[in-house]
Amino acid sequence: MSKETKIVCIGCPKGCSISISHDKSSIKAIEGYSCKNGLEYAKNEFTAPKRILTSTVKVKFGELLVVSVKTKDPIPKNKIFECMHEINELEVEAPLKIGTIIKDNIAQTGVALITTEPISRI
């Protein structure tokens, strides 16, 4: 018996409403996308959803108390809470540049956590 999952595509600015017909483990049909990005997004969102994770990390000796960070690449959606647990344990020392690697291979994802802003030392 086929089920249907509806998603809104974020592959381009159109925001197409996409329907994925499936039997829980495999895709039967994808409808509603208007470009190649939408088709790829729908396939990936169903089989292995990923997200860029953004957060903040505590800073010692910095002009600010925290630095904004993000994963350099998308991580598996099911690893978000594990990554956040690790991020909440981190503390770094200023100075920091944009793109400084805070943690390599966060939560065993193979993806680095990097800074997105510079922080001067005080």
Side-chain angles (χ1 to χ4, degrees), residues 7-18 32-38:
I7 62 170
V8 175
C9 180
I10 61 170
C12 78
K14 289 182 184 177
C16 296
S17 294
I18 298 176
Y33 62 92
S34 62
C35 67
K36 228 179 357 177
N37 289 342

Side-chain angles (χ1 to χ4, degrees), residues 3-4 12-14 18 27 36 38 41-42 49 56-57 59-60 68 76 78 83 86 89-90 94 98 115-116 118 122:
K3 294 190 175 220
E4 185 174 83
C12 78
K14 289 182 184 177
I18 298 176
I27 297 172
K36 228 179 357 177
Y41 177 77
T56 57
V57 170
V59 176
K60 288 170 39 176
S68 62
N78 65 359
C83 287
E86 287 187 21
E89 302 287 317
L90 295 173
I98 293 175
T115 57
T116 61
I122 56 169

Side-chain angles (χ1 to χ4, degrees), residues 63-113:
E63 63 184 333
L64 298 174
L65 298 176
V66 294
V67 62
S68 62
V69 296
K70 72 176 195 92
T71 53
K72 188 172 182 184
D73 297 304
I75 58 167
K77 192 175 174 183
N78 65 359
K79 288 281 202 167
I80 288 175
F81 288 108
E82 192 176 337
C83 287
M84 284 305 302
H85 179 74
E86 287 187 21
I87 289 169
N88 289 334
E89 302 287 317
L90 295 173
E91 186 172 41
V92 295
E93 281 191 27
L96 299 162
K97 297 180 192 171
I98 293 175
T100 300
I101 295 175
I102 300 296
K103 181 155 187 169
D104 211 7
N105 194 21
I106 184 110
Q108 305 298 309
T109 60
V111 177
L113 183 71

